[in-house]
Amino acid sequence: METASLPKVDEERLRYARRINLKELNLRGDTQESAKLDHSLKRHTALIKRMRQYIGADNRDQVLKDIDSLSLEKYIDEIAGAVVEGIARCKTDKDVWAAVEVICSLHRRFPTSFTPALVNLLSSSLAAPSRATLQTLTPDQREKEDALRVSRQRPALRVCSELALVGVIRDSPARSGAEWIMRVIKELLSNDPSLSSLPLLSTFLKSYGRPYLGLTPSHGKLMPGDAEPSRVTDEATNAATAAFDEGEGLVEQDVRERFKRMCEGYFENVARKLSIEHKRLQEQDRRNHEAYIRSGEIFEDRQQAYERMTKGYEKLFASCQTLSELLNLPMPALPTASQRSDSIQIGGNASTGAGDDADVAFTTSGGKWEDEEERKFFEDIQDLKDFVPKNFLGIDAEEKTEFEEKERVEREKAEAEAKNLAEELKSLETNGDFHNNNTLAEPAGSVDEEDGNVTPIPTSPKLSSPPLSPQLAPQGPSQLLTALLARLPDATNRTLIDQAAVEFAFLNSKAARKRLIKFLSNVPKNRTDLLPHYSRLVATLDKYMPDVGSDLVTSLEEEFRYLQRKKNLVKELSELRLKNITFLSNLTKFRVVPVHVILHIFKVCLDDFSGANVENVALLLEGCGRFLLRSEETKERFSTMLELMRRKQSMQHFDPRQMLLLENAYYQCNPPERPPLIEKERTTVELFIRHIIYDVLSKKTIDKVLKLIRKLDWDDPTVSHSLLKVFTKPWKLKYSNIGLLAMLTYDLQRYYPAFAVAVVDQVVEDIRRGLEVNLYSVNQQRVATVKYLGELYIYRVVNSSLIFDTLWLLVTFGHPDGHPLPRQPSPLDMPDDFFRIRLVCVLLDTVGMCFDRGRQMRKLDNFLVFFQYYALCKEELPTEVDFMLSDSLEAVRPKLPIPESIEEAAKAVDNVLNAAMQNAGYSDDGHDRERPQEEDDEEDRSTVGHESAATMGSYVHQTDERAPSPEPVVVLSAQEHLGPSQEADEEFAKELAKIITESSAESRKIDKKNAWWDNAVLAPSVRKKRTGETEQNIDGDADCPNGSVMNFTVITRRGNKQQTRNLPVPAETALAVHTRSAQLQDKVEQQHLKQLVLNYEQREEAEELKDTRSRPGQLKIRLAG
């Protein structure tokens, strides 16, 4: 060992000499500036670019040459930044030393401008990460960030350590930069609670432990406790120390001592944390064992937590062991748990070993099996020795041979003792002694006899074994084996296949094994479901009949080679390939197929990665890829092959089916890591609310649910918020229960009006957000929300205006200026997206039957005209959507005319538009005109809702052949003719109130004094007839010729019976004149009031139209021609 350390000492001596020479050169600072320096921008740019990319050994000579030949004064800051970036790519010792020489060359030329800037940049690159930043990251992100940071800081720390030794980085002019290095490392370690900077300290101690700490490299691993180093190691260490002291002249002695104490103290903290983690791991192991005993299984979250803990512990143990070797300090003594033998090793088989390595032998290769059931199927294999006598398994002869050898040794020993005893007896001469000799010799003979009787006992199972065998029918072994093989295709579970293995063991013979191998090799191609169970049968027998497994594997290998020769027959042999690969994969998971065989098969398929071999690779990955990738003996080799497969997959061209096969197979054997799903924590009250709404709510229990909800603490913000969330997510209920949820909202509205308003607001917001986002994944939620809004209208929670607003929003939102154009794509509503039609149909099916009279009926009619135009703007409707649209329209308006083309639908929309504008008080030339008097007294004027007027009023007719309309367009300013001003509105309100007051007073006066002709004493039939005649008299119809008489009704009474008769009165009499004038005055009064009401409604519609039209600025209206 001493001779082996001499080259190391020579290398250290050479490195020490180079550092001394370079330090003297840097301190001398007598670099002479050349008079002919190049100021070329191109060469300066090339130098900075080269330094930024790499300043290692390969670029060293060229960079040094450029530094000596270029001026560089104007580019100091850029050069400093480029040097820091180039250092990050220096990985080897040669690269680090080349970077140091380049920096020293720049330092000698620019000691006051370059060196401070470089030191500041290096200090920033070696700074510890911010704790606030780390707290915002997830554990996985933090781990990745720490790994990247360590990889960046490792070369920078090595270069800075060299610069501090050669005099570039200095604490003061008379001292080295060792204290600066110690301060940087101390900051890194003190701000690292997760010990992620441990690799940086290990790297520093490996390369610079001698100059900075005065440490000598250890030549042996120190064991825990007071282990004494060997004499050879002491001699080698003393020789190396006596040769030279590298730190002498480079680092001050006091700094070295403080640096060493700091590192030793840090190692003590690491060792203390290692002991704590070791105890935590053992405690977790014990809890897992107890949980396994209680429930019979270990849950996935507990298993993953244990695997993470084990991984962290192994990483910490390796780092602590490295520090122990570098600092020449013993490892801490880790206590062993008494429950170690009973512990459950999660993620793999528990490995037992001797020595200190056994204490930390934790297995982390978890995940070989998808679930616990699969693990039991492939690993929990019965031992035939527990069910079948040994002589049937072929192990009786071996045991008999061992017993006979033992028996022979014992017999020889007994004979020798008997012979010695006989010789002693012969030496005696007395009769008593002879008698005693006979009596004593007899037991010796009896021992022999007993031994002779005992010897057959071990072979007694051969005689008593037939009673232990199953009660078989009087048939031969061949017939029994035939019957067993005939039953194997029905053995489709573990119990049946294990029983079949036991039965075959009783029939075990060479011929039986050959028949079994032949049977298993000829499994029907369409019965791949039997292959896992047959593999379990082979694995059960393989322990005592190894020729079964080996011969079957050989047969499958030959079949695979045959299929490789016939790989051109893809379709014809596809089922045979599936059976072959599946059988091999299952036997591999039972460890029957040797590792090198299955890897060779995988490699053969990869060598010719095309055609049928693509499917073979996919089948292998799906069958046993996960097992091979997570088994210790195949992990490295199979992962290399998997990477090769991915590279070939990216380079070659495969059809979509093959790509899908390979991708599915790859992610099945190597699924991406996903964090465990964290179940959302809910309070007890929230769980109760969800239970009564989602589980209990029904037609029979709605009253009970209402009472329970009212009993909740509505003053608690948490309770009210939970109720609001449940009532605004109708998609979580059964679709048939959405109406019940709306009924509950209506019932709660009487007690909590603000709650109902919040529910409606959220529902409307959800509908609009669905239109803005338009994600396919939330389509079911959008359907449920629209259905919920319709049910809210059914139960009078919202009014019809909101329903029509929503209908128009569904067909206009996202289109330019709210105009859906034929076949024109919109980012939120593409021509091939028919989901909005479905939403409208759902809403119409829910509330359409309510709009069958009055103003709402006309508003719905106008919307349906536009809706049909919207549907024709789409591409050809799918059959399902077309039927849905037809059913919805037929249910709402059975006699609605259906346009045949887009032009016909656009013309119908134009007609509705013109009618809407005329009714709103606008003529074709854009000016207000006097509205005509209405002649129809029984029906209201046909008006168009403000929604349709607002939308269709700004509609521009577009056809498939042309986007812009060439016909005349009237442009109305947003500020012109949009209704009266605010002062006019106030004046109108005053006049209306005055007129209504006066008219009501006059009507009361007329009713009291003059309306005696319409008294309630008349019978209803007479009064109805009399009213008609009165109107006829007023209008002067045929019943009153020439208007010369007026008919009056005279009422007389005879007893309890009223009688009436007509009394014509001349029209010139005062009675007739007075009556006619009163009737005419009443008629005028009614017409005046009716006109006031109609004008008020139309002014309100005009105001709504004004608000809508003022948004886009100007309205373009195509006149109907």
Side-chain angles (χ1 to χ4, degrees), residues 280-298:
R280 287 182 60 237
L281 191 62
Q282 288 185 334
E283 181 65 19
Q284 184 67 31
D285 191 32
R286 183 185 62 80
R287 287 198 296 266
N288 290 342
H289 177 64
E290 294 175 354
Y292 182 83
I293 293 176
R294 285 195 308 269
S295 59
E297 63 177 344
I298 298 176

Side-chain angles (χ1 to χ4, degrees), residues 663-762:
E663 290 294 328
N664 290 343
Y666 174 77
Y667 287 111
Q668 186 171 347
C669 82
N670 187 25
E673 295 183 1
R674 294 180 179 178
L677 297 177
I678 301 176
E679 186 177 0
K680 186 177 180 180
E681 295 183 0
R682 293 184 172 91
T683 61
T684 306
V685 176
E686 187 173 359
L687 292 174
F688 174 73
I689 294 173
R690 293 169 62 89
H691 170 67
I692 61 177
I693 297 297
Y694 297 155
D695 302 331
V696 179
L697 182 61
S698 65
K699 293 182 179 179
K700 296 181 180 180
T701 61
I702 185 169
D703 295 333
K704 179 180 178 181
V705 171
L706 176 62
K707 291 179 181 178
L708 292 175
I709 292 177
R710 289 186 57 195
K711 289 181 179 180
L712 296 174
D713 185 8
W714 284 76
D715 295 332
D716 188 357
T718 306
V719 174
S720 58
H721 181 65
S722 300
L723 285 168
L724 183 61
K725 287 197 300 183
V726 172
F727 273 79
T728 54
K729 295 180 180 179
W731 55 86
K732 293 190 175 182
L733 281 79
K734 296 180 181 179
Y735 192 76
S736 58
N737 285 352
I738 294 179
L740 301 179
L741 188 66
M743 188 186 300
L744 278 179
T745 307
Y746 167 73
D747 292 334
L748 292 173
Q749 183 183 18
R750 293 180 293 176
Y751 308 102
Y752 308 101
F755 174 76
V757 172
V759 170
V760 174
D761 286 346
Q762 187 61 46

